[in-house]
Amino acid sequence: MHPFRSHTCAELTKANVGETVRLSGWVNRVRDHGGVLFIDLRDHYGVTQVLADSDSPAFAAVEKLRSEWCIRIDGLVKARDESLVNPKLPTGEIEVFIREVEVLGQAEELPLMVFGDQDYPEETRLRYRYLDLRRDSMQANMKLRSDVVASIRRRMWDKGFREYQTPIITASSPEGARDFLVPSRLHPGRFYALPQAPQIFKQLIMVSGFDRYFQIAPCFRDEDPRADRSPTDFYQLDMEMSFATQQDVFDTVQPVIAGVFEEFGGGHRVDQHWPQISYADAARWYGTDKPDLRNPIRMQDVSEHFRGSGFAIFAKLLEQDGTEIRAIPAPGGGSRKFCDRMNAFAQKEGLPGMGYIFWREVEQPGLDFFGFADDDGDIAPDQSTNAHYGRALERLEQWKSERIDLGNGHWMEAAGPLAKNIGPERTEAIRQQLGLGKGDAAFFLGGKPSAFEAVAGRARNVIGEELGLTDKDRFAFCWIVDFPMYEKDPETGAIDFSHNPFSMPQGGMAALEGDPLEVLGYQYDLACNGYELISGAIRNHRLDVMFKAFSLAGYAEDEVRSRFPSLVNAFRFGPPPHGGCAAGIDRIVMLLADEMNIREVIMFPMNQRAEDLMMGAPTLPTNEQLRELRLRVIPEEGDEGA
């Protein structure tokens, strides 16, 4: 028999009853049932119940076992009583009576429990990551990650791509984030860099004549951490194609990504239609370039309804250039309580608040409501002799004209401060434009879109969540296209690239002769459920167009040649048209695992301060290392010895 196991802890079934087996694993938990000790023995594959009674020669040794001790047991497989079968376990029909036990590795008092669903501080989990990774949820996440990567590789090979590896130690190249620098021992004073992405290398692979490249590539960026981004390194599906259009890239990538989500999405629906939405429309409709299309809310420009209106705040705003009023429809949000809650949300986001209108059902009041009554407060019997009758009737008709007749004496009216200020005609025009009705609401933000768009996008998400409009059982994808090539610095007025500087401008050289802010690039992102999964572009492979594109952003030709020498030199020798993209592996797995934090799907992640608490990184170099590299560390002010 094998020295450690004849079976894994997920293999034994009723077919093994009567066999002598050997299992190895960790003590998940121990249960003492009055002279019978039950142990859930766990390995990477599953759990098997093993037990020893007082007659077992191993009973005394089993009594000493504690949680997370690593043990080997020999025993006899027996069938459980029918009433004790555990249908949740593949091994739930059997149990193993222990004849012999050997402790392979003892465990001290645990800083965190592996069994159960207890929550622990992230610092504890990361410091003892090897224990955290033993937990069922983490084992499942890491297996999912491995399976997803294997599936992606198979699908890319099936699409005619080959996997090639690019260097990890290379030259610094601006990619929009900070580099991690590596000092050179052989070349004192010079530094390598860890690649932010294989961007230039994969383009050079296309110049080299390899038609379809992919790689599951590690990327390194010295960034501030976020819940959906690692502060140091991440992995991406990196791909590039020669002689490809933007649509070719979409048609190639969609079945790969959709197939992975169908395979590992836990039964959630995967949209087959992936709309292509311009960057401008995405900002206008959703307040973000990574919209969550599970939420059906689409914002609209309602500026015309407030221009010259009685609501002075918005009316004056609209007198300024570049301003507009945006409405966020909220189907089902037509209550003052919900409107007040959303107003409080806006204030937490740093805004004074959000204007709102909501539509509610009311009953038609009687004429007494409008002042038609006798001396006792009752309706006068002789309407023709009552002087107030005509006036009351006029007031009733006016009341009706400001509301929508729902029939049977029921009406719909608009409520809220905005409705009172702008009047019934403008309010009704807004309602019709937004397609709203009884029980609905709309929220309004105004000013320059760049100032409020992000908050409006977050408000849209909150409204969709709170009103149950967001379909949680779905993966909704969309391509964001037509990114602007350039943007203007609001303080200096200088023109700079707004996205990937190596993208081909739509219209080529001719497009660069006009207003830079009107130039669109062949750049694209793929969004899913509010996250950016893919970013890519058709590359600018023409040197004349590249030099012109960089010149508009203030980079002289000599500077471009010095900063990107390999690309510039390679493009002198017959570069093919090419394009590609990169998909974030960590973020894909995070969505598939239904996790909110990317660290839940990375085996050994850094914390929020870019520290590896388990390994103690970053560490101070030794004096010997510094001397060998001819480096000196300048202490921060306030440090001892500074």
Side-chain angles (χ1 to χ4, degrees), residues 407-588:
N408 298 320
H410 290 266
W411 297 75
M412 179 174 65
E413 69 175 6
L418 277 186
K420 294 177 181 177
N421 277 279
I422 66 175
E425 290 185 7
R426 292 175 184 263
T427 302
E428 177 60 12
I430 290 173
R431 186 189 72 81
Q432 290 192 20
Q433 178 182 333
L434 300 180
L436 298 175
K438 179 183 68 176
D440 298 337
F443 297 89
F444 303 88
L445 289 167
K448 293 189 175 180
S450 59
F452 69 77
E453 227 159 36
V455 174
R458 291 193 288 274
R460 171 187 173 270
N461 291 338
V462 171
I463 292 168
E465 289 275 343
E466 293 211 8
L467 297 181
L469 302 173
T470 302
D471 184 355
K472 298 289 191 175
D473 190 34
R474 174 183 166 207
F475 292 111
F477 298 85
C478 64
W479 289 105
I480 306 301
V481 298
D482 299 339
F483 279 85
M485 281 282 290
Y486 302 97
E487 62 186 2
K488 179 184 288 188
D489 187 300
E491 295 182 1
T492 66
I495 299 294
D496 202 353
F497 291 108
S498 63
H499 209 62
N500 189 324
F502 298 106
S503 303
M504 178 66 80
Q506 296 183 21
M509 182 67 83
L512 301 178
E513 301 297 339
D515 182 354
L517 298 179
E518 298 295 322
V519 179
L520 302 178
Y522 284 114
Q523 301 166 352
Y524 37 83
D525 287 352
L526 179 67
C528 176
N529 293 8
Y531 293 94
E532 176 197 312
L533 292 191
I534 287 178
S535 186
I538 298 300
R539 318 301 177 187
N540 188 345
H541 69 288
R542 288 181 47 187
L543 281 179
D544 57 339
V545 178
M546 181 183 294
F547 290 141
K548 177 65 175 179
F550 272 89
S551 72
L552 294 179
Y555 299 90
E557 181 176 327
D558 288 346
E559 185 177 1
V560 177
R561 289 183 181 276
S562 65
R563 295 181 75 173
F564 313 107
S566 59
L567 208 57
V568 170
N569 287 332
F571 281 2
R572 295 163 53 211
F573 303 105
H578 58 283
C581 63
I585 298 292
D586 311 292
R587 211 166 281 174
I588 288 173

Side-chain angles (χ1 to χ4, degrees), residues 121-357:
E122 185 177 74
E123 180 176 347
T124 301
R125 294 182 60 201
L126 295 184
R127 191 177 299 278
Y128 300 98
R129 188 62 164 181
Y130 38 82
L131 291 179
D132 191 47
L133 287 170
R134 291 184 188 177
R135 304 169 86 179
D136 287 344
S137 61
M138 297 303 294
Q139 289 272 314
N141 283 356
M142 297 310 145
K143 285 188 271 189
L144 171 64
R145 182 189 179 102
S146 179
D147 292 344
V148 166
V149 170
S151 178
I152 287 174
R153 278 196 163 100
R154 287 194 299 270
R155 294 174 190 277
M156 292 302 291
W157 277 96
D158 289 344
K159 287 286 181 184
F161 286 77
R162 290 182 181 272
E163 186 167 10
Y164 302 101
Q165 285 70 45
T166 53
I168 297 300
I169 297 292
T170 182
S172 179
S173 175
E175 296 278 355
R178 297 182 189 90
D179 284 325
F180 280 106
L181 296 178
V182 180
S184 169
R185 178 182 60 84
L186 297 177
H187 305 280
R190 299 194 177 197
F191 292 80
Y192 303 102
L194 302 180
Q196 295 187 29
Q199 175 69 48
I200 290 181
F201 285 110
K202 68 178 179 179
Q203 291 191 249
L204 295 177
I205 289 173
M206 296 299 102
V207 177
S208 301
F210 296 91
D211 196 69
R212 291 192 166 200
Y213 142 93
F214 88 96
Q215 180 184 189
I216 305 298
C219 303
F220 305 90
R221 297 181 187 180
D222 187 1
E223 296 188 305
D224 296 328
R226 295 190 320 218
D228 66 334
R229 183 174 67 192
S230 168
T232 54
D233 57 290
F234 59 93
Y235 280 81
Q236 66 186 30
L237 163 62
D238 201 56
M239 60 157 286
E240 198 77 6
M241 306 164 60
S242 285
F243 308 108
T245 65
Q246 178 173 283
Q247 191 61 46
D248 290 331
V249 176
F250 295 172
D251 293 343
T252 300
V253 171
Q254 178 167 339
V256 173
I257 300 300
V260 167
F261 275 81
E262 287 166 355
E263 184 177 358
F264 301 104
H268 293 317
R269 299 191 313 279
V270 178
D271 285 5
Q272 297 304 307
H273 172 61
W274 296 10
Q276 296 181 24
I277 303 170
S278 73
Y279 175 86
D281 283 342
R284 185 179 304 114
W285 297 339
Y286 309 113
T288 176
D289 60 358
K290 40 185 178 290
D292 187 348
L293 295 191
R294 298 175 302 167
N295 178 353
I297 294 174
R298 181 182 287 190
M299 298 187 291
Q300 295 189 40
D301 183 345
V302 291
S303 302
E304 290 309 307
H305 305 302
F306 288 95
R307 206 177 301 278
S309 71
F311 189 63
I313 296 176
F314 281 176
K316 289 180 180 178
L317 264 179
L318 292 171
E319 292 175 3
Q320 304 172 28
D321 291 338
T323 59
E324 66 178 62
I325 310 301
R326 198 82 55 86
I328 312 172
S335 71
R336 192 173 298 277
K337 183 178 179 181
F338 179 73
C339 291
D340 288 344
R341 197 155 69 242
M342 289 307 303
N343 205 37
F345 162 82
Q347 291 169 350
K348 287 180 182 178
E349 293 286 325
L351 297 178
M354 282 195 298
Y356 63 82
I357 300 172

Side-chain angles (χ1 to χ4, degrees), residues 376-407:
D376 298 325
D378 298 323
I379 300 297
D382 185 359
Q383 296 176 352
S384 61
T385 61
N386 191 305
H388 299 292
Y389 174 69
R391 194 177 310 122
L393 196 60
E394 288 177 5
R395 289 172 179 169
L396 173 60
E397 292 305 315
Q398 177 65 30
W399 185 91
K400 289 180 179 180
S401 70
E402 295 173 356
R403 288 158 180 82
I404 305 297
D405 188 358
L406 301 176

